[in-house]
Amino acid sequence: MYKQMFMAALCAAGLAMAGCSRNGADAQGTAAGSADTTPVRISVGSYNLNNLPFFIADSKGYFKDVGLEVKTENFAQGGSKVLQALVANSTDVAVGFYDHTIQMQAKRKDVVGFVLLSRNSGLVMAGRDDATFDPARPDTIKGQKVGITAPGSSSDFFVRHFLAQHDIPVDSISLIGVGSGAAAVAALEQGKIDLLVNYDPAATLITERKVGKIIIDARSDEGARQVYGGLYPTSVMYANRSFLEQRPEAAEKIARAEQMALKFIADNSAEDIVAALPDSYVSGDRATYARAVENARAIFTTDGHFTAADLETPLKVLREFNKDVANADIDLSRTYTNAFVERAHAAAPAAQR
């Protein structure tokens, strides 16, 4: 019912003709070529490979190809910083993690994911070779300094979920924000932290450089089910609902550009994918980064669609330790929409689908 009301509102405003037309493809073509030329500010929180489809869309010029001018900013401090920027209206669209939309609904903020980039966690917990933590003996995590990308990030949630599952108080460990990629690996190598929860390329860099070992691996579907009990959707394009209602054409163009990027990732080798990226997006040498891309390939969606059943997993996890979420009546249907990816798909040339 909500999705119908949402689309009806867009149509009534005259901004979503494709959603009201029986001839969806023709109407979408008109929308894509219409006059919304205002630049869109997009912010990304890290260089994690979960965000790779955005990096590809940006570096290959797909936003320009669909007729959208984009101004990008990389906070490189974790998704929580990007979320703050979005809520403060200092950016229009965020490349962040889906679970933040649930958090915001609990705070009565209307933040909506409209393109799903990564369908699964991609997270690992790693330690040096002499690490004393053994997940088979959960209490061995007590007293450890655990590196995460940033407080309030999904890597933070990963750790808190593990603690909640084993009734271990959060103050039994020290959570330390270390960023992502090579900087995070350096923190582990230099002994600033005992354990690191991070994504590729950090996970691959750890093993390639023989810095340490992977202790818990949620990159595969099987691994995610062992850690979370199901798939844990991560990287999305999300925005305030007001942006989606006021600028549906821009949202559709973003969805189309990301679909082009996802197709490029699916159709090309890891080496060719890395070759398409500028140095600023690559952590470590390109050969190692290509291996990281290959290791992470399974987490990406094919077309940006959300699967409703998978969204139950992050909600369940957040309710374990986030009192705001636990006490709120969360309506997951309000945290995402597939409307824009569906319209973008209908508008795309057949050869690009």
Side-chain angles (χ1 to χ4, degrees):
M1 175 65 72
Y2 163 70
K3 292 179 184 176
Q4 294 173 344
M5 292 173 65
F6 179 43
M7 290 306 299
L10 294 179
C11 295
L15 297 173
M17 297 302 297
C20 307
S21 172
R22 293 183 179 180
N23 189 347
D26 289 345
Q28 295 299 328
T30 301
S34 59
D36 185 354
T37 59
T38 305
V40 175
R41 301 167 299 170
I42 301 181
S43 297
V44 59
S46 74
Y47 294 110
N48 292 330
L49 275 179
N50 299 61
N51 298 330
L52 179 63
F54 171 74
F55 302 149
I56 289 292
D58 188 33
S59 61
K60 287 189 68 66
Y62 289 153
F63 294 115
K64 183 178 180 180
D65 290 346
V66 298
L68 190 68
E69 182 181 348
V70 164
K71 296 181 177 179
T72 64
E73 180 176 8
N74 193 322
F75 285 77
Q77 296 176 326
S80 55
K81 296 295 184 182
V82 171
L83 179 61
Q84 292 171 17
L86 186 79
V87 172
N89 289 313
S90 59
T91 194
D92 299 314
V93 174
V95 187
F97 277 22
Y98 167 74
D99 45 25
H100 291 148
T101 70
I102 298 174
Q103 283 183 289
M104 288 299 97
Q105 187 177 133
K107 295 179 181 294
R108 299 187 179 183
K109 302 287 186 182
D110 230 359
V111 175
V112 183
F114 64 100
V115 187
L116 178 63
L117 305 180
S118 297
R119 53 183 285 278
N120 202 7
S121 163
L123 274 167
V124 305
M125 177 182 281
R128 292 184 303 280
D129 289 331
D130 61 355
T132 59
F133 169 62
D134 178 0
R137 294 181 296 128
D139 280 354
T140 57
I141 199 171
K142 291 181 178 179
Q144 302 281 299
K145 294 179 291 184
V146 184
I148 55 177
T149 58
S153 66
S154 292
S155 55
D156 186 358
F157 302 160
F158 180 104
V159 180
R160 292 175 186 273
H161 169 63
F162 179 86
L163 298 175
Q165 287 285 294
H166 301 288
D167 296 320
I168 298 172
V170 175
D171 60 8
S172 297
I173 65 170
S174 298
L175 287 166
I176 302 171
V178 295
S180 59
V185 175
L188 181 66
E189 187 173 20
Q190 295 164 9
K192 295 178 179 178
I193 54 175
D194 302 308
L195 300 170
L196 174 65
V197 177
N198 224 280
Y199 312 82
D200 268 315
T204 298
L205 288 171
I206 288 168
T207 55
E208 291 283 334
R209 295 179 178 177
K210 302 187 185 305
V211 171
K213 59 187 177 182
I214 305 301
I215 299 173
I216 300 175
D217 194 338
R219 287 176 292 186
S220 68
D221 288 11
E222 179 183 0
R225 291 188 177 102
Q226 289 176 353
V227 172
Y228 299 111
L231 298 188
Y232 196 106
T234 53
S235 185
V236 301
M237 310 293 294
Y238 63 69
N240 291 309
R241 186 175 308 281
S242 57
F243 175 85
L244 299 179
E245 291 175 343
Q246 293 164 13
R247 301 193 61 190
E249 294 168 11
E252 180 186 333
K253 290 175 182 178
I254 291 170
R256 180 70 205 113
E258 294 301 343
Q259 287 175 337
M260 293 164 68
L262 288 164
K263 188 174 190 307
F264 179 84
I265 292 169
D267 291 350
N268 287 274
S269 69
E271 290 76 15
D272 288 342
I273 293 168
V274 175
L277 297 172
D279 289 342
S280 59
Y281 283 148
V282 177
S283 292
D285 65 90
R286 287 181 175 267
T288 300
Y289 196 82
R291 286 190 284 276
V293 169
E294 193 59 41
N295 289 339
R297 187 187 289 274
I299 71 174
F300 301 116
T301 68
T302 57
D303 59 7
H305 272 86
F306 292 84
T307 300
D310 292 342
L311 307 184
E312 297 286 348
T313 303
L315 175 59
K316 179 194 71 174
V317 168
L318 286 173
R319 278 181 167 156
E320 293 173 343
F321 55 82
N322 186 307
K323 291 183 180 179
D324 288 339
V325 175
N327 294 330
D329 183 13
I330 301 295
D331 180 358
L332 288 177
S333 71
R334 293 187 62 84
T335 63
Y336 79 101
T337 177
N338 281 322
F340 299 102
V341 295
E342 290 170 357
R343 290 164 48 185
H345 179 76
Q352 294 181 9
R353 293 176 189 170

